């Protein structure tokens, strides 16, 4: 059976060529669908409904003005006539204009009304638009839905938009009717319960990356900190002490040293909350105690933190590839060509290892980023997903830490590297990854791993039964403890 959302919609009124196709013929057994409103969404909805085989009637205050904007298969008439003819009606007018439909109150009684409106701002206190519409028309069955579907999605199909349609209503019969329409149009209905959930549905299109705010803010703070730190060490210090101008390093070199610092710290922040949660469970002896709110939010942000780390790592790789293209690098390279420097095995090995583990770390991070996509994660089972995100994730953290160690080599022990008594940047960066790797190593100890496994399978340290063994067992007066 062809995908409903993959079909082309009918052409505009008056266009030439093949306009009709078999599925656009209305089904006499299908309900007549009414649309109140003539905006962009109404026109796209009418086209999709006609393409799905429904008889559509559009209600407008000035039908002659908008009749040319709708397909020929859709009847454009007055609001009263549309309300009389339709069995189910999409209310596609702005919520502040719902009161103008009060003249249709008697006509709409007993019919299903689908509210597709959205608010201008996130609403947590006032009643939802659907609840207000239900107050206006108490004799009708109000269903909230299609407000998360754009006019573009209705026209172009599932290739350019999501299929899910969130629905809620106090009438299960009306909701089932809208569900059947969703399926026939090629959408996937998601039942959100009663009409009281309409406020949550109306807020969905208004959120602006709510789960990304904390990770992005953390990334920006770390970037500003490390950038200023590197600027003081690599640009300001030679300018003050040696009167050398190194401000040309600000756009490329300083940024290129800052990006891997942010990437490594962000990657460590991905796995640190899991360690804290594990140690909290070991300390409390149970898995049933709630984590603190800050730890809950941190755990829920791990995916976004990891993708921010991947972004910084990719940018670092691109910046590194561009380093030889700079005029300053070409000038230094031409000067070095006249010098007869001897071969230093230590430096050669350091650079080879530094690049090798860096490439492997970036490859593992790319794998983690790809498998975090819902379309990819849905094709693997939980054990495979856990292996990639946990086991290979710690391997990526280890490789990135080794990449930083090979970069620093022995410079942490050279006093001349401590400009203004400030340690090299890589020394600060390595603190958190080392803590995470040591914490993970501690959890891998058999005694710790066994206890944690028992706790996560429901065992609790403080749940036990105390009993006295009988006298014939030669243990009079001895209290024994048996764990449940």
């Amino acid at each position: 059976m062809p995908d409903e959302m993959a079909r082309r919609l009918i052409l505009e009124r008056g266009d030439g060529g093949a306009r009709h196709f078999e599925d656009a013929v209305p089904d006499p057994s299908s309900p007549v669908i009414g649309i109140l409103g003539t905006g962009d969404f109404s026109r796209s909805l009418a086209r999709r409904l006609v393409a799905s085989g429904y008889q559509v009637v559009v209600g407008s205050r000035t039908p002659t003005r908008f009749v040319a904007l709708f397909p020929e298969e859709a009847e454009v008439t007055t609001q009263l006539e549309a309300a009389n003819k339709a069995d189910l009606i999409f209310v596609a007018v702005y919520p502040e204009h719902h009161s103008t439909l009060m003249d249709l109150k008697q006509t709409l009684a007993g019919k299903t009304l689908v509210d597709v409106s959205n608010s201008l701002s996130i609403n947590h206190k006032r009643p939802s638009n659907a609840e207000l519409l239900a107050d206006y028309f108490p004799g009708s069955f109000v269903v909230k839905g299609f407000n998360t579907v754009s006019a573009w999605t209705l026209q172009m199909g599932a290739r350019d938009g999501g299929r899910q349609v969130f629905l809620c209503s106090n009438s299960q019969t009306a909701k089932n009717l809208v569900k059947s329409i969703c399926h026939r149009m090629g959408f996937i209905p998601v039942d959100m319960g009663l009409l009281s959930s309409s406020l949550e549905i109306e807020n969905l299109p208004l959120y602006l990356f709510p789960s990304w705010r904390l990770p992005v803010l953390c990334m920006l703070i770390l970037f500003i900190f490390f950038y200023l730190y590197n600027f003081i060490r690599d640009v300001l210090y030679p300018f003050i002490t040696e009167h050398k101008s190194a401000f040309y390093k600000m756009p490329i070199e300083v940024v290129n040293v800052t990006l891997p610092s942010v990437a490594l710290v962000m990657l460590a922040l991905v796995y640190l909350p899991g360690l804290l949660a594990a140690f909290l469970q070991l300390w409390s002896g149970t898995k049933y105690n709630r984590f603190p709110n800050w730890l809950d939010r941190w755990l829920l942000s791990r995916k976004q933190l990891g993708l921010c780390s991947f972004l910084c790592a990719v940018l670092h790789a691109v910046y590194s590839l561009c380093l030889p293209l700079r005029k300053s690098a070409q000038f230094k390279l031409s000067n070095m060509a006249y010098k007869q420097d001897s071969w230093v095995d230590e430096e050669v090995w350091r650079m080879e290892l530094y690049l090798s583990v860096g490439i492997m770390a970036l490859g593992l991070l790319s794998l983690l980023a790809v498998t975090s996509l819902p379309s990819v994660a849905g094709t693997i089972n939980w054990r495979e997903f856990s292996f990639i995100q946990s086991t290979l994730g710690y391997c990526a953290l280890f490789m990135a830490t080794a990449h930083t160690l090979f970069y620093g080599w022995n410079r942490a022990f050279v006093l001349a590297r401590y400009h203004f008594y400030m340690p090299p940047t890589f020394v600060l960066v390595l603190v958190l990854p080392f803590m995470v790797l040591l914490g993970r190593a501690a959890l891998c100890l058999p005694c710790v791993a066994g206890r944690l496994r028992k706790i996560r399978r429901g065992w609790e340290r403080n749940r036990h039964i105390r009993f006295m063994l009988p006298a014939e067992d030669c243990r009079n007066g001895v209290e024994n403890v048996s764990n449940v």
Side-chain angles (χ1 to χ4, degrees):
M1 181 178 179
D3 191 349
E4 295 284 347
M5 293 292 287
R7 298 181 309 199
R8 288 179 57 84
L9 291 174
I10 59 180
L11 302 178
E12 295 290 340
R13 183 182 296 267
D15 290 345
R19 291 180 42 79
H20 303 276
F21 45 86
E22 182 181 354
D23 288 338
V25 177
D27 185 358
S29 62
S30 299
V32 178
I33 308 297
I35 302 175
L36 298 181
T38 54
D40 295 336
F41 186 87
S42 302
R43 295 194 291 271
S44 300
L45 180 61
R47 294 189 182 101
R48 177 53 61 185
L49 288 170
V50 169
S52 300
Y54 285 103
Q55 181 181 349
V56 179
V57 54
V58 181
S60 173
R61 289 174 294 180
T62 55
T64 57
R65 180 182 176 185
F66 297 100
V67 65
L69 300 177
F70 288 86
E72 292 179 356
E73 292 80 2
E75 179 185 357
V76 182
T77 181
T78 63
Q79 291 183 342
L80 180 59
E81 188 175 353
N84 278 317
K85 291 183 177 181
D87 302 309
L88 180 144
I89 299 171
F90 284 86
V91 182
V93 298
Y94 289 110
E96 56 267 25
H97 298 154
H98 283 172
S99 58
T100 61
L101 304 176
M102 291 299 293
D103 295 338
L104 308 176
K105 188 173 184 179
Q106 296 298 327
T107 308
L108 297 176
K111 298 186 177 183
T112 300
L113 305 181
V114 182
D115 176 36
V116 300
S117 64
N118 281 315
S119 301
L120 296 177
S121 60
I122 296 177
N123 176 23
H124 292 296
K125 298 180 180 179
R126 302 184 306 276
S128 66
N129 298 334
E131 290 172 323
L132 293 176
L133 184 65
D135 292 339
Y136 283 132
F137 302 96
S140 304
F141 306 106
V142 176
V143 179
K144 184 68 185 183
F146 284 89
N147 64 303
T148 58
V149 180
S150 65
W152 176 262
T153 301
L154 288 171
Q155 291 192 47
M156 302 307 296
R159 295 190 186 95
D160 296 288
R163 287 175 177 256
Q164 288 187 336
V165 175
F166 299 94
L167 302 175
C168 68
S169 175
N170 292 333
S171 172
Q172 188 63 40
T173 304
K175 190 160 47 177
N176 290 338
L177 178 59
V178 180
K179 283 182 181 179
S180 65
I181 295 174
C182 288
H183 283 299
R184 190 162 172 179
M185 294 172 66
F187 291 104
I188 301 174
V190 179
D191 195 336
M192 299 291 288
L194 300 178
L195 197 62
S196 56
S197 302
S198 58
L199 188 63
E200 178 184 354
I201 297 177
E202 290 178 3
N203 286 334
L204 286 177
L206 302 176
Y207 290 126
L208 183 63
F209 303 112
S211 59
W212 286 87
R213 293 176 183 173
L214 184 61
V216 171
L217 179 62
C218 180
M219 181 179 66
L220 292 177
I221 291 176
L222 287 173
F223 183 86
I224 293 173
F225 170 76
F226 283 115
Y227 186 87
L228 293 177
Y229 192 88
N230 292 321
F231 172 79
I232 294 173
R233 283 180 41 83
D234 300 335
V235 178
L236 200 59
Y237 177 81
F239 181 76
I240 294 177
T241 58
E242 304 175 13
H243 302 287
K244 291 182 179 180
S245 178
F247 291 95
Y248 68 91
K249 296 182 178 181
M250 292 176 59
I252 300 294
E253 283 195 32
V254 178
V255 173
N256 193 42
V257 177
T258 301
L259 285 172
S261 305
V262 178
L264 184 54
V265 174
M266 293 286 287
L267 186 59
L269 291 176
V270 173
Y271 296 98
L272 182 58
L275 296 178
L276 295 178
F279 284 116
L280 281 177
Q281 289 177 339
L282 289 171
W283 179 73
S284 61
T286 179
K287 70 172 184 178
Y288 298 107
N289 288 348
R290 274 191 60 86
F291 295 134
N293 290 332
W294 58 268
L295 184 55
D296 272 336
R297 293 187 61 190
W298 194 352
L299 289 167
L300 293 175
S301 301
R302 288 180 293 179
K303 174 182 175 180
Q304 290 75 17
L305 289 170
L307 291 176
C308 289
S309 172
F310 175 67
L311 172 64
C312 293
V314 170
L315 291 177
H316 168 56
V318 174
Y319 269 83
S320 298
L321 292 174
C322 294
L323 287 178
L325 302 178
R326 299 172 305 143
K327 286 292 184 180
S328 57
Q330 296 174 5
F331 180 76
K332 291 181 180 179
L333 186 62
S334 61
N335 287 340
M336 292 177 61
Y338 294 100
K339 296 182 180 180
Q340 300 295 327
D341 293 334
S342 59
W343 179 279
V344 181
D345 282 337
E346 181 181 353
E347 286 298 317
V348 172
W349 273 101
R350 181 183 75 86
M351 184 57 63
E352 297 293 322
L353 293 172
Y354 164 72
L355 292 176
S356 178
V357 295
I359 294 172
M360 287 189 287
L362 183 59
L364 289 173
L365 279 177
S366 303
L367 180 61
L368 296 176
V370 170
T371 53
S372 67
L373 298 175
S375 58
V376 178
T379 61
I380 58 179
N381 60 36
W382 172 248
R383 185 177 182 183
E384 295 166 342
F385 182 81
S386 178
F387 172 79
I388 293 174
Q389 295 294 329
S390 180
T391 305
L392 295 185
Y394 275 103
C395 291
L397 179 62
F398 176 80
M399 289 295 178
T401 304
H403 177 68
T404 308
L405 281 173
F406 286 126
Y407 170 79
W409 204 246
N410 60 351
R411 285 180 288 181
F413 309 103
V414 178
L415 187 60
R417 295 286 181 176
Y418 286 74
H419 302 165
F420 292 133
Y421 301 101
M422 300 168 64
T425 307
F426 70 89
V427 175
L428 298 181
V429 172
L430 287 172
V431 173
L432 195 59
F434 266 125
M435 293 174 57
V436 173
L437 292 174
L438 290 175
R440 180 59 181 173
L443 291 180
C444 289
L445 295 175
C447 56
V448 180
R451 176 60 64 90
L452 184 60
R453 191 179 304 111
K454 288 171 59 179
I455 290 174
R456 290 178 173 174
R457 292 180 62 87
W459 179 86
E460 294 183 82
R461 182 177 57 200
N462 295 327
R463 288 188 62 192
H464 53 265
I465 301 174
R466 296 182 179 274
F467 61 94
M468 299 294 294
L469 293 174
E472 55 267 27
D473 286 348
C474 302
R475 292 183 183 178
N476 285 330
V478 179
E479 188 181 43
N480 197 359
V481 176
S482 176
N483 289 321
V484 177

